[in-house]
Amino acid sequence: MNVTFACPHCEASVRAEIPESPRSIDCPACHASINVPDGALDRGHPTRCLVCPSTDLFVRKDFPQRLGVAVVVFGAVASSIAWYYYQIYLTFAILFAIAAVDVVLYLWVGESLTCYRCGAQYRGIDDLKRHGMFDLNIHERHRQQTARLAQRR
């Protein structure tokens, strides 16, 4: 299992391999040590975030969102150009091709576990069924908490 996270000390984006039962995670950028809470791993599976004290994790597709949006925008622009030139069959061919690419990517790309609070992403985990999918209520709770803490400063 590995984790990609923003170091709480130097705010560098780092990736670290996590051993079976870690006591701490070391930042390769600033060499700071992040203590892992007791009981954070259950047989190699995270039950809570190893970077921050949050217990809220969700499963998501491990695919860059910007690339997904770029594929959709390309399909929309290309089909609009074909539609402008009255190429109806080409327009629908482009739209169906983009939809097929989307389905193939959805089936091909794996999943990762993400922390709502700090955004740490855990990859290389076999069983993700114990964690739920994205929940907007939990996300909004963490977003509001971050906004309130920033406002106090």
Side-chain angles (χ1 to χ4, degrees):
M1 171 175 63
N2 64 50
V3 60
T4 303
F5 64 97
C7 176
H9 302 286
C10 67
E11 297 182 3
S13 179
V14 296
R15 186 177 205 157
E17 287 293 325
I18 305 296
E20 186 75 22
S21 57
R23 295 280 178 222
S24 65
I25 302 172
D26 295 326
C27 174
C30 68
H31 305 291
S33 182
I34 302 166
N35 292 328
V36 175
D38 291 332
L41 291 175
D42 179 27
R43 291 182 233 133
H45 297 286
T47 57
R48 61 181 302 154
C49 185
L50 305 179
V51 179
C52 72
S54 178
T55 58
D56 295 325
L57 303 170
F58 68 95
V59 178
R60 65 177 283 183
K61 283 292 186 180
D62 193 18
F63 187 75
Q65 289 180 337
R66 290 182 185 201
L67 181 58
V69 170
V71 168
V72 170
V73 168
F74 171 77
V77 169
S79 65
S80 296
I81 292 171
W83 185 263
Y84 177 79
Y85 287 108
Y86 300 104
Q87 300 292 324
I88 296 172
Y89 294 119
L90 180 60
T91 300
F92 286 107
I94 291 169
L95 291 174
F96 286 126
I98 295 298
V101 166
D102 187 44
V103 168
V104 168
L105 286 174
Y106 180 80
L107 295 173
W108 180 61
V109 172
E111 293 178 329
S112 67
L113 192 61
T114 304
C115 175
Y116 281 100
R117 185 170 181 226
C118 69
Q121 296 179 342
Y122 300 89
R123 294 177 178 88
I125 302 171
D126 296 331
D127 183 28
L128 294 174
K129 293 179 183 171
R130 65 178 75 180
H131 302 284
M133 301 301 280
F134 180 79
D135 185 353
L136 188 57
N137 289 329
I138 298 171
H139 170 74
E140 187 63 21
R141 185 181 74 222
H142 284 282
R143 190 186 72 76
Q144 289 290 329
Q145 182 181 22
T146 302
R148 275 188 245 115
L149 290 173
Q151 189 177 28
R152 285 184 189 170
R153 293 182 203 152

